[in-house]
Amino acid sequence: MNARSQVDSVTGKKPLVVAFLSDWQYLERSFQRLICAWGRWIADWEDKVAISRHVWEQAEAVQRLRDRSCEFLGSHQNVDAPVSAELERFVNLVLLAPSAEDAFNGTYQLLLDAMVRAYVNYVEHAHPVHDAPTIALVQDLVRIKEQQRLWLRERRRRRPHVTDSSYAAQFRVTLAGLGELSNPVPVRDEALPAGVRTGFRLLSKARHPAGSEPRCDWTPFMYGDFAYDLEARRLFWCYGYMREMNLAEDQLRWIYDAWQMPWEFIRDLSRHLWDESRHGDSGRSRLLDFGIDLPDVGYSYYDQSMPPNFEGPDSNGERCEPLSPEQLYEQVFSIGMVAETGHFTVKKEAYDDFKAAGDLESAEMVLFDIIDETSHVQYAHKWLPLLAERCGRAPQEFRARGAIERDRIAEDAAKRQAEAHALPRDPSSAGFKHYQSLLARMRNHQPLKVDPNLTRSPLPM
């Protein structure tokens, strides 16, 4: 096909691709927001892992488009150039789906296909030499979208769903009105991020897989033994890492509600979310090595203040209001300055002990987490001053407050663990019996070279 001319009498020194890059960036970022908006409806573990990776892939896609935009005249002014509110209305149509499964089809099928066709159309008409960097970038985006499309195909094999016909028809009409995205959309009114001007609200509590409800109260025995028993610590870290998927589920909400924060914050948070989902999958993967899965240990929630939302007849669709600046600050503070900072000592002890005891796979699991968590704490130090400013706090108050909170929580945790250690070990107790069976299964798979005199730090929270 003939190459489309990138300049005309009105473009000046900015070729047409700069406007394309702005529209594409908005669509890719909207794609991420759609995942975050509906992702908490996902119950299947493998799908939680997949969409968490997609959140990070979308952040990388947006960043690459921004980087390419900076290479043209106008530099950083290009990356946040306004786009048409018509695009906002277009992605809001996808967002406001009749159901969660329609939203997944709308995002990963209708919108994805429209974006891929627009990318392919651009490549077919761009000059293969002059604009080769954009072509290479767009080809990479298409490859990412193909892998995301394959995820939906695999989900539909497990969970068939036909897209609501009215929803799909309205999408097609709107897409046609935008010229199939074959040209940049003229900016008359400026777009806000997807969903901001709608009444859409996220699910209050993420769905957890059916059958992963805790079968009995076995964890107090593990907590009580933590400082004294390496086998208990190994079970704890596998189970504890698995539960970190809870944080990835929460961070879907952080990203969606933090739309007024700088893009770099969203990118850092997207990586944090993907890391936490990998920690969750790492813990579950190690449990599977021992023949243990979610029904055996239960996938319980961090937040016990609301009713659970396990998939099944008792699941609910209760929605939550957007996080306030104060709430977002507290979330980032409690994770970065308390939970993640506070666990470095016990994690380093676990790495040393597992390595010395001959369980190198568990040692590796902990080591990679320490590496990730070091970055996460740096994120907290980087962004808490700005988050504090947004909610009227002193920019550096998080530093002293973090130390105070860690000490307070550690003192309470030590008391709880002492009480748990004193619990009677009754063989007829369902919780104690189950705890012992989990330890035995792990021991039978891979015994540890245990030092019976080794005592370690208690859990910090």
Side-chain angles (χ1 to χ4, degrees), residues 207-222:
R207 292 263 165 86
H208 280 191
S212 65
E213 302 91 332
R215 63 169 66 175
C216 60
D217 191 18
W218 62 271
T219 56
F221 301 102
M222 176 182 67

PDB file of all heavy atoms in Angstrom, residues 207-222:
ATOM      1  N   ARG A 207     -13.194 -11.522  44.806  1.00  0.00           N
ATOM      2  CA  ARG A 207     -13.663 -12.908  44.873  1.00  0.00           C
ATOM      3  C   ARG A 207     -12.474 -13.845  45.081  1.00  0.00           C
ATOM      4  O   ARG A 207     -11.423 -13.688  44.459  1.00  0.00           O
ATOM      5  CB  ARG A 207     -14.366 -13.290  43.572  1.00  0.00           C
ATOM      6  CG  ARG A 207     -15.676 -12.578  43.347  1.00  0.00           C
ATOM      7  CD  ARG A 207     -16.874 -13.425  43.789  1.00  0.00           C
ATOM      8  NE  ARG A 207     -18.050 -12.578  43.883  1.00  0.00           N
ATOM      9  CZ  ARG A 207     -18.860 -12.283  42.855  1.00  0.00           C
ATOM     10  NH1 ARG A 207     -18.595 -12.748  41.661  1.00  0.00           N
ATOM     11  NH2 ARG A 207     -19.919 -11.520  43.047  1.00  0.00           N
ATOM     12  N   HIS A 208     -12.674 -14.844  45.933  1.00  0.00           N
ATOM     13  CA  HIS A 208     -11.678 -15.891  46.120  1.00  0.00           C
ATOM     14  C   HIS A 208     -12.221 -17.207  45.584  1.00  0.00           C
ATOM     15  O   HIS A 208     -13.436 -17.390  45.494  1.00  0.00           O
ATOM     16  CB  HIS A 208     -11.304 -16.018  47.595  1.00  0.00           C
ATOM     17  CG  HIS A 208     -10.326 -14.970  48.045  1.00  0.00           C
ATOM     18  ND1 HIS A 208      -9.675 -15.009  49.256  1.00  0.00           N
ATOM     19  CD2 HIS A 208      -9.865 -13.852  47.421  1.00  0.00           C
ATOM     20  CE1 HIS A 208      -8.875 -13.969  49.370  1.00  0.00           C
ATOM     21  NE2 HIS A 208      -8.983 -13.244  48.278  1.00  0.00           N
ATOM     22  N   PRO A 209     -11.340 -18.140  45.212  1.00  0.00           N
ATOM     23  CA  PRO A 209     -11.801 -19.356  44.540  1.00  0.00           C
ATOM     24  C   PRO A 209     -12.750 -20.189  45.396  1.00  0.00           C
ATOM     25  O   PRO A 209     -12.579 -20.286  46.616  1.00  0.00           O
ATOM     26  CB  PRO A 209     -10.503 -20.126  44.262  1.00  0.00           C
ATOM     27  CG  PRO A 209      -9.414 -19.104  44.331  1.00  0.00           C
ATOM     28  CD  PRO A 209      -9.873 -18.083  45.320  1.00  0.00           C
ATOM     29  N   ALA A 210     -13.724 -20.785  44.746  1.00  0.00           N
ATOM     30  CA  ALA A 210     -14.605 -21.722  45.440  1.00  0.00           C
ATOM     31  C   ALA A 210     -13.766 -22.861  45.997  1.00  0.00           C
ATOM     32  O   ALA A 210     -12.837 -23.357  45.351  1.00  0.00           O
ATOM     33  CB  ALA A 210     -15.654 -22.263  44.465  1.00  0.00           C
ATOM     34  N   GLY A 211     -14.079 -23.265  47.213  1.00  0.00           N
ATOM     35  CA  GLY A 211     -13.347 -24.367  47.835  1.00  0.00           C
ATOM     36  C   GLY A 211     -12.094 -23.941  48.570  1.00  0.00           C
ATOM     37  O   GLY A 211     -11.399 -24.792  49.138  1.00  0.00           O
ATOM     38  N   SER A 212     -11.783 -22.638  48.572  1.00  0.00           N
ATOM     39  CA  SER A 212     -10.569 -22.191  49.268  1.00  0.00           C
ATOM     40  C   SER A 212     -10.873 -21.596  50.646  1.00  0.00           C
ATOM     41  O   SER A 212     -10.006 -20.984  51.262  1.00  0.00           O
ATOM     42  CB  SER A 212      -9.803 -21.175  48.414  1.00  0.00           C
ATOM     43  OG  SER A 212     -10.553 -19.980  48.237  1.00  0.00           O
ATOM     44  N   GLU A 213     -12.092 -21.779  51.120  1.00  0.00           N
ATOM     45  CA  GLU A 213     -12.435 -21.339  52.459  1.00  0.00           C
ATOM     46  C   GLU A 213     -11.637 -22.149  53.484  1.00  0.00           C
ATOM     47  O   GLU A 213     -11.502 -23.368  53.336  1.00  0.00           O
ATOM     48  CB  GLU A 213     -13.931 -21.525  52.741  1.00  0.00           C
ATOM     49  CG  GLU A 213     -14.859 -20.800  51.774  1.00  0.00           C
ATOM     50  CD  GLU A 213     -15.257 -21.656  50.585  1.00  0.00           C
ATOM     51  OE1 GLU A 213     -14.459 -22.555  50.212  1.00  0.00           O
ATOM     52  OE2 GLU A 213     -16.356 -21.442  50.053  1.00  0.00           O
ATOM     53  N   PRO A 214     -11.067 -21.519  54.512  1.00  0.00           N
ATOM     54  CA  PRO A 214     -10.323 -22.279  55.526  1.00  0.00           C
ATOM     55  C   PRO A 214     -11.198 -23.357  56.154  1.00  0.00           C
ATOM     56  O   PRO A 214     -12.330 -23.092  56.555  1.00  0.00           O
ATOM     57  CB  PRO A 214      -9.928 -21.215  56.555  1.00  0.00           C
ATOM     58  CG  PRO A 214      -9.930 -19.927  55.778  1.00  0.00           C
ATOM     59  CD  PRO A 214     -11.035 -20.067  54.769  1.00  0.00           C
ATOM     60  N   ARG A 215     -10.677 -24.565  56.224  1.00  0.00           N
ATOM     61  CA  ARG A 215     -11.492 -25.683  56.716  1.00  0.00           C
ATOM     62  C   ARG A 215     -11.518 -25.755  58.244  1.00  0.00           C
ATOM     63  O   ARG A 215     -12.433 -26.344  58.829  1.00  0.00           O
ATOM     64  CB  ARG A 215     -10.987 -27.010  56.141  1.00  0.00           C
ATOM     65  CG  ARG A 215      -9.579 -27.389  56.558  1.00  0.00           C
ATOM     66  CD  ARG A 215      -9.234 -28.822  56.168  1.00  0.00           C
ATOM     67  NE  ARG A 215      -9.188 -29.012  54.733  1.00  0.00           N
ATOM     68  CZ  ARG A 215      -8.816 -30.150  54.150  1.00  0.00           C
ATOM     69  NH1 ARG A 215      -8.488 -31.192  54.893  1.00  0.00           N
ATOM     70  NH2 ARG A 215      -8.773 -30.262  52.845  1.00  0.00           N
ATOM     71  N   CYS A 216     -10.473 -25.217  58.893  1.00  0.00           N
ATOM     72  CA  CYS A 216     -10.427 -25.199  60.354  1.00  0.00           C
ATOM     73  C   CYS A 216      -9.400 -24.157  60.786  1.00  0.00           C
ATOM     74  O   CYS A 216      -8.649 -23.626  59.968  1.00  0.00           O
ATOM     75  CB  CYS A 216     -10.063 -26.586  60.926  1.00  0.00           C
ATOM     76  SG  CYS A 216      -8.448 -27.177  60.376  1.00  0.00           S
ATOM     77  N   ASP A 217      -9.350 -23.875  62.084  1.00  0.00           N
ATOM     78  CA  ASP A 217      -8.464 -22.824  62.592  1.00  0.00           C
ATOM     79  C   ASP A 217      -7.128 -23.449  63.004  1.00  0.00           C
ATOM     80  O   ASP A 217      -6.877 -23.706  64.188  1.00  0.00           O
ATOM     81  CB  ASP A 217      -9.137 -22.124  63.779  1.00  0.00           C
ATOM     82  CG  ASP A 217      -8.400 -20.851  64.185  1.00  0.00           C
ATOM     83  OD1 ASP A 217      -7.614 -20.338  63.372  1.00  0.00           O
ATOM     84  OD2 ASP A 217      -8.631 -20.375  65.312  1.00  0.00           O
ATOM     85  N   TRP A 218      -6.250 -23.668  62.041  1.00  0.00           N
ATOM     86  CA  TRP A 218      -4.971 -24.324  62.297  1.00  0.00           C
ATOM     87  C   TRP A 218      -3.807 -23.341  62.427  1.00  0.00           C
ATOM     88  O   TRP A 218      -2.750 -23.683  62.974  1.00  0.00           O
ATOM     89  CB  TRP A 218      -4.649 -25.322  61.179  1.00  0.00           C
ATOM     90  CG  TRP A 218      -4.490 -24.691  59.808  1.00  0.00           C
ATOM     91  CD1 TRP A 218      -5.456 -24.468  58.889  1.00  0.00           C
ATOM     92  CD2 TRP A 218      -3.267 -24.191  59.249  1.00  0.00           C
ATOM     93  NE1 TRP A 218      -4.939 -23.856  57.774  1.00  0.00           N
ATOM     94  CE2 TRP A 218      -3.593 -23.681  57.962  1.00  0.00           C
ATOM     95  CE3 TRP A 218      -1.943 -24.127  59.678  1.00  0.00           C
ATOM     96  CZ2 TRP A 218      -2.631 -23.113  57.126  1.00  0.00           C
ATOM     97  CZ3 TRP A 218      -0.988 -23.567  58.842  1.00  0.00           C
ATOM     98  CH2 TRP A 218      -1.337 -23.073  57.577  1.00  0.00           C
ATOM     99  N   THR A 219      -3.977 -22.107  61.933  1.00  0.00           N
ATOM    100  CA  THR A 219      -2.839 -21.185  61.857  1.00  0.00           C
ATOM    101  C   THR A 219      -2.300 -20.723  63.205  1.00  0.00           C
ATOM    102  O   THR A 219      -1.096 -20.432  63.296  1.00  0.00           O
ATOM    103  CB  THR A 219      -3.190 -19.961  60.990  1.00  0.00           C
ATOM    104  OG1 THR A 219      -4.359 -19.312  61.512  1.00  0.00           O
ATOM    105  CG2 THR A 219      -3.450 -20.374  59.544  1.00  0.00           C
ATOM    106  N   PRO A 220      -3.108 -20.631  64.298  1.00  0.00           N
ATOM    107  CA  PRO A 220      -2.507 -20.208  65.575  1.00  0.00           C
ATOM    108  C   PRO A 220      -1.350 -21.095  66.021  1.00  0.00           C
ATOM    109  O   PRO A 220      -0.378 -20.609  66.610  1.00  0.00           O
ATOM    110  CB  PRO A 220      -3.682 -20.255  66.554  1.00  0.00           C
ATOM    111  CG  PRO A 220      -4.885 -20.029  65.694  1.00  0.00           C
ATOM    112  CD  PRO A 220      -4.571 -20.731  64.410  1.00  0.00           C
ATOM    113  N   PHE A 221      -1.429 -22.389  65.745  1.00  0.00           N
ATOM    114  CA  PHE A 221      -0.340 -23.291  66.139  1.00  0.00           C
ATOM    115  C   PHE A 221       0.936 -22.965  65.360  1.00  0.00           C
ATOM    116  O   PHE A 221       2.036 -23.006  65.912  1.00  0.00           O
ATOM    117  CB  PHE A 221      -0.762 -24.741  65.920  1.00  0.00           C
ATOM    118  CG  PHE A 221      -1.982 -25.131  66.701  1.00  0.00           C
ATOM    119  CD1 PHE A 221      -3.230 -25.225  66.084  1.00  0.00           C
ATOM    120  CD2 PHE A 221      -1.902 -25.385  68.065  1.00  0.00           C
ATOM    121  CE1 PHE A 221      -4.361 -25.577  66.801  1.00  0.00           C
ATOM    122  CE2 PHE A 221      -3.028 -25.737  68.799  1.00  0.00           C
ATOM    123  CZ  PHE A 221      -4.259 -25.825  68.165  1.00  0.00           C
ATOM    124  N   MET A 222       0.776 -22.639  64.096  1.00  0.00           N
ATOM    125  CA  MET A 222       1.927 -22.264  63.270  1.00  0.00           C
ATOM    126  C   MET A 222       2.559 -20.971  63.772  1.00  0.00           C
ATOM    127  O   MET A 222       3.786 -20.876  63.890  1.00  0.00           O
ATOM    128  CB  MET A 222       1.483 -22.110  61.814  1.00  0.00           C
ATOM    129  CG  MET A 222       2.571 -21.632  60.863  1.00  0.00           C
ATOM    130  SD  MET A 222       1.951 -21.414  59.179  1.00  0.00           S
ATOM    131  CE  MET A 222       0.809 -20.026  59.400  1.00  0.00           C
TER     132      MET A 222
END
